[in-house]
Amino acid sequence: MKGLQKVRDFGELFLKRWRNAFSTILFYMIQFLLVIYLFGSQYAMVVSGSTTLFQLRRKEPNRLGDYLSMYLISLLLCLLAFAAGLNVWLCALLNFAVPFFLVLWRCSQFTPKGHLGYAMTFVFLELRPPTLEQLPTQLTAVACCCVLLVAALALQAKISHISADPVGQISRSLLRLSQLLDDLADGGDGKAAGKELYDLSRSFHRMGYDRRHLIQVPDHQKRFYHLFALLFQRASYLVTDQEAWQYAQKTPDFSATMHTLAQLVRRLEQAHTPEARQCLAQEIQALLQHTKLPQGRPRIFYRSVLHTLLLLCREEFKPYLGTLLQQVSWSRIWENLRQRLSLSRFELRFALRLAVVMTISCTISYLWEFEHTYWFPLHAFLLLQPSYEESAHRMVTRPVGTAIGCLLVHLVYPYLPGLPGVFLFSSVMISLMYCCTPGTWVHPIFSTAFALTMATLTVRETDAIGLRLLYLAMAVVLVLVVNRFLLPNRREPQFRRNLQELFRLQSTYWAVIRRSLRQPVDPGLFSELLSQFHMVYHEAVQYADRLPAEQAAYHRVRLVVLWNMFSELEQTEGLIQSGAVSPEEIPALDALASQLEARISPPRELDSICPDTLPRDELYYVLNRYLENARTLSGQAPPPVPVAI
């Protein structure tokens, strides 16, 4: 019975994966047959890049700009891949520069493999470069595949009801927030609501972060996304802290204020005109002036949400239509580039390793005129991953899967009925490959079987197997050496760097707060800091959750405290933006911000800092909470009881 149940479970899993991969398989097959029929089998390599882009983007909302970007960049990468095959110097230069640039441009801790689609397009097109006479045909084939890619993504979005309409997404999220606030007011599950609110906050942070460009230009839509992320984060800030949430539930009038917030959120969702938003803003301002809750966390939460709603009422959301004549902040561009080129950043460390691996492997492949040498850089590219541990894992699973795939071809190939049998078997293998998870030992079984079967069209089956294993061994050695000696991205040191980055971002935020006390500051700067903090924070949380229970609990406490501190920073800036900080309070706040900017990264000598020169109002409470949390992390106070994230 157990054996039968296992077979049944395997069948259900296979059907689930087949349904999930069916659109990718169908897209690949249509492309492959069209390219073979229209252009010839020598151009079949162009299919891999567009299929990878489809696989990565098919569940994402794609805008017109995304479609245009995929089309133009694919054509540009085709030209660069051709140029890399002209001579050895261009080969080395472009194989260093292109992967390096793609990682810096597309990767982040939100999307550590954001480079994959474009990088695979460049690598696959370079593996079998065309002659100058064949280049127009290859460009036409790439353009044809890109047209099919755009059409397939649009059709997939329609079938799956994936909308790139940001207005609709914001509306649905606001309605969900109002429901959660009503549920919490009636005694709902705070832990479940906190997780959902955190996920909503992170999704808006990511949408805002995804709007970054090579050249930073004013982007109102990005600020709007970050304001919504801030709204959801402030809602989750209270319920995530179990101690604070239990205290809030016992506070008189708290249930009524939660229902009030839910009603205000619903009205914001329905306020489609400037007049409606202005009317709502006046009501929110009146509520801020007559807050019934006593000083404490519930009052801070309530007023923070009101301040955020007030800021949103002053905004007008419009889908972003950029122009080329916008003012460019070159200082912001330089600052962003300087930060990304720091050796402590994940992007630069991975970009350098990938660039070195591709330069060495592709140059050897170019100089070594032997059969199927392009398998060497292909293996190296697939083995090298953003983290050291993931690369090490693939250096075990890929050889195992490749060996099994070689054995499978050796056993099956003699019985294939000629050329039709070869194409049928390879089609089955590539279909099964798309059903598997990349990085497992099963995935390379089918990719190897597909590659070897197609290779038998030009070399003997036994020779193809030997070459496949040889080039894989070379790739393992190369990636092992580079991973070991060139800026390895081990998870534990990266976690320490992430913690340092979370403190550094707070120091930067205090510097920006000081500027905002003297002059208007571009709101996009706060948005960038907020997005970057939560991007790094989320990766740190993921690492902490994989640690043993005792270590995980210790780091989870510290991460929650860091999150609370940044929330209190945001609340401080919110008070400044909403005009809640009086002119008399500005000198004291400026002096305190100056001290914290200098001492918070890392936290040290905090005993002498206190907000006692400020009136005992909301600003005093927020700053006092911030200092208490900072002293906790610096070891000057006992650690709090672990709470769930």
Side-chain angles (χ1 to χ4, degrees):
M1 291 298 292
K2 287 185 179 180
L4 185 61
Q5 183 61 39
K6 287 183 178 180
V7 171
R8 200 175 285 133
D9 292 343
F10 175 79
E12 291 177 358
L13 177 62
F14 177 77
L15 287 175
K16 180 181 177 181
R17 293 196 172 185
W18 174 264
R19 285 193 295 267
N20 183 54
F22 179 74
S23 59
T24 304
I25 296 168
L26 181 62
F27 178 65
Y28 177 87
M29 292 299 180
I30 292 173
Q31 280 190 111
F32 183 78
L33 293 174
L34 281 175
V35 169
I36 294 292
Y37 177 74
L38 295 175
F39 306 104
S41 60
Q42 66 268 36
Y43 298 101
M45 196 68 80
V46 304
V47 173
S48 299
S50 53
T51 304
T52 302
L53 284 171
F54 176 80
Q55 190 176 23
L56 294 173
R57 299 292 309 180
R58 65 195 173 100
K59 294 183 180 180
E60 300 288 333
N62 296 293
R63 303 179 296 270
L64 179 61
D66 297 319
Y67 293 134
L68 186 62
S69 175
M70 282 183 270
Y71 185 85
L72 295 177
I73 292 175
S74 295
L75 292 177
L76 174 61
L77 291 173
C78 180
L79 292 173
L80 291 173
F82 168 75
L86 294 177
N87 60 63
V88 67
W89 301 110
L90 277 174
C91 176
L93 175 64
L94 290 174
N95 277 287
F96 185 91
V98 173
F100 183 87
F101 172 78
L102 289 175
V103 170
L104 282 187
W105 174 37
R106 302 294 301 179
C107 290
S108 69
Q109 274 122 325
F110 275 135
T111 52
K113 298 181 184 179
H115 71 295
L116 193 59
Y118 290 132
M120 284 192 74
T121 299
F122 173 74
V123 171
F124 274 85
L125 291 176
E126 183 192 8
L127 295 181
R128 300 182 67 179
T131 63
L132 184 59
E133 293 76 19
Q134 294 172 327
L135 179 60
T137 305
Q138 177 148 309
L139 279 170
T140 306
V142 171
C144 178
C145 287
C146 287
V147 170
L148 290 172
L149 171 65
V150 170
L153 286 173
L155 180 62
Q156 177 80 16
K158 189 172 183 63
I159 293 173
S160 304
H161 305 290
I162 300 172
S163 175
D165 173 25
V167 178
Q169 189 168 10
I170 286 173
S171 177
R172 290 190 297 273
S173 299
L174 283 174
L175 289 174
R176 182 57 184 154
L177 174 60
S178 65
Q179 293 169 1
L180 287 172
L181 290 173
D182 276 331
D183 290 343
L184 289 170
D186 295 331
D189 185 353
K191 186 175 181 180
K195 183 181 185 309
E196 186 172 353
L197 289 166
Y198 176 78
D199 291 340
L200 283 167
S201 169
R202 186 170 178 269
S203 69
F204 275 100
H205 279 308
R206 178 168 180 174
M207 283 190 285
Y209 193 83
D210 285 346
R211 295 197 62 81
R212 71 199 189 284
H213 305 283
L214 292 177
I215 296 179
Q216 296 288 341
V217 295
D219 187 345
H220 183 78
Q221 186 170 332
K222 180 166 65 174
R223 166 172 163 75
F224 207 75
Y225 282 143
H226 286 313
L227 279 174
F228 271 98
L230 187 59
L231 177 64
F232 290 111
Q233 183 209 332
R234 288 183 175 174
S236 67
Y237 173 51
L238 182 68
V239 296
T240 301
D241 189 330
Q242 295 298 314
E243 182 181 347
W245 176 238
Q246 290 170 7
Y247 173 76
Q249 289 176 307
K250 300 174 183 176
T251 303
D253 296 324
F254 183 71
S255 177
T257 57
M258 293 288 280
H259 282 304
T260 300
L261 290 178
Q263 181 62 27
L264 291 173
V265 170
R266 274 191 290 271
R267 290 189 54 191
L268 177 63
E269 188 272 331
Q270 297 165 2
H272 303 300
T273 64
E275 293 77 16
R277 287 193 295 273
Q278 184 178 5
C279 179
L280 181 59
Q282 291 173 353
E283 292 188 31
I284 294 173
Q285 193 68 58
L287 289 170
L288 282 168
Q289 293 171 1
H290 301 89
T291 303
K292 296 181 180 179
L293 293 172
Q295 283 290 355
R297 291 289 292 281
R299 178 186 175 91
I300 293 295
F301 158 76
Y302 174 64
R303 291 178 62 83
S304 295
V305 174
L306 288 179
H307 281 133
T308 308
L309 290 172
L310 186 61
L311 291 173
L312 285 166
C313 286
R314 295 171 181 172
E315 302 284 339
E316 183 175 359
F317 181 79
K318 293 180 180 178
Y320 176 69
L321 298 173
T323 65
L324 296 176
L325 300 178
Q326 297 186 81
Q327 181 181 0
V328 176
S329 175
W330 295 105
S331 61
R332 289 272 304 280
I333 293 173
W334 167 247
E335 179 65 21
N336 182 56
L337 181 63
R338 188 182 65 81
Q339 289 182 10
R340 292 178 77 85
L341 291 178
S342 167
L343 287 177
S344 65
R345 291 293 291 267
F346 142 81
E347 298 96 326
L348 180 67
R349 300 169 73 88
F350 178 46
L352 281 173
R353 293 202 316 281
L354 181 62
V356 169
V357 165
M358 294 314 299
T359 300
I360 294 173
S361 60
C362 288
T363 303
I364 291 175
S365 175
Y366 181 90
L367 295 173
W368 189 12
E369 297 180 0
F370 201 64
E371 194 70 46
H372 285 78
T373 53
Y374 63 81
W375 279 346
F376 175 33
L378 177 61
H379 280 309
F381 175 79
L382 295 174
L383 285 171
L384 188 71
Q385 297 298 308
S387 75
Y388 178 92
E389 288 81 2
E390 190 175 358
S391 282
H393 176 71
R394 289 202 176 196
M395 280 186 272
V396 174
T397 59
R398 191 161 189 86
V400 171
T402 299
I404 297 174
C406 290
L407 178 61
L408 177 63
V409 171
H410 180 69
L411 295 174
V412 172
Y413 183 77
Y415 302 99
L416 295 178
L419 192 60
V422 168
F423 277 105
L424 178 61
F425 180 73
S426 60
S427 298
V428 172
M429 292 298 101
I430 197 71
S431 299
L432 292 174
M433 185 196 78
Y434 284 119
C435 295
C436 300
T437 304
T440 62
W441 64 271
V442 180
H443 186 271
I445 293 176
F446 302 112
S447 62
T448 299
F450 168 78
L452 289 177
T453 307
M454 297 301 292
T456 57
L457 299 176
T458 56
V459 297
R460 289 188 307 172
E461 165 250 336
T462 52
D463 292 340
I465 290 174
L467 290 173
R468 187 80 177 184
L469 294 173
L470 170 65
Y471 295 134
L472 174 59
M474 293 171 59
V476 168
V477 172
L478 174 62
V479 172
L480 187 65
V481 171
V482 171
N483 256 350
R484 176 67 178 84
F485 296 105
L486 181 63
L487 302 174
N489 253 4
R490 294 180 184 271
R491 285 174 179 159
E492 194 271 335
Q494 182 62 42
F495 176 68
R496 292 200 303 269
R497 288 191 292 270
N498 284 338
L499 292 179
Q500 293 167 2
E501 178 70 2
L502 294 178
F503 282 112
R504 187 197 67 78
L505 288 170
Q506 296 200 43
S507 176
T508 303
Y509 206 116
W510 279 117
V512 179
I513 283 178
R514 294 186 65 203
R515 283 170 51 193
S516 71
L517 291 172
R518 296 175 174 83
Q519 62 189 35
V521 174
D522 179 9
L525 185 53
F526 292 106
S527 300
E528 292 292 337
L529 287 170
L530 183 65
S531 173
Q532 193 172 346
F533 179 90
H534 285 280
M535 176 180 66
V536 177
Y537 174 85
H538 183 74
E539 187 187 18
V541 168
Q542 286 183 315
Y543 175 82
D545 286 342
R546 290 192 291 263
L547 293 173
E550 186 176 349
Q551 294 180 43
Y554 171 77
H555 287 299
R556 201 173 289 125
V557 169
R558 297 178 66 82
L559 286 167
V560 168
V561 173
L562 275 166
W563 183 34
N564 290 345
M565 289 172 66
F566 207 82
S567 296
E568 286 144 6
L569 264 174
E570 293 160 5
Q571 291 167 28
T572 302
E573 180 56 31
L575 291 170
I576 296 171
Q577 288 187 27
S578 61
V581 178
S582 66
E584 293 76 18
E585 293 175 311
I586 289 178
L589 178 56
D590 181 60
L592 189 143
S594 176
Q595 291 178 296
L596 286 169
E597 178 190 352
R599 302 184 193 179
I600 201 61
S601 180
R604 62 189 185 280
E605 301 175 8
L606 300 176
D607 277 339
S608 60
I609 304 177
C610 65
D612 287 346
T613 53
L614 292 166
R616 298 298 178 103
D617 57 7
E618 187 175 349
L619 178 62
Y620 173 88
Y621 185 85
V622 170
L623 293 173
N624 197 51
R625 284 284 305 175
Y626 181 89
L627 285 166
E628 288 176 2
N629 284 325
R631 293 185 186 111
T632 295
L633 292 183
S634 66
Q636 296 170 344
V641 177
V643 294
I645 295 178

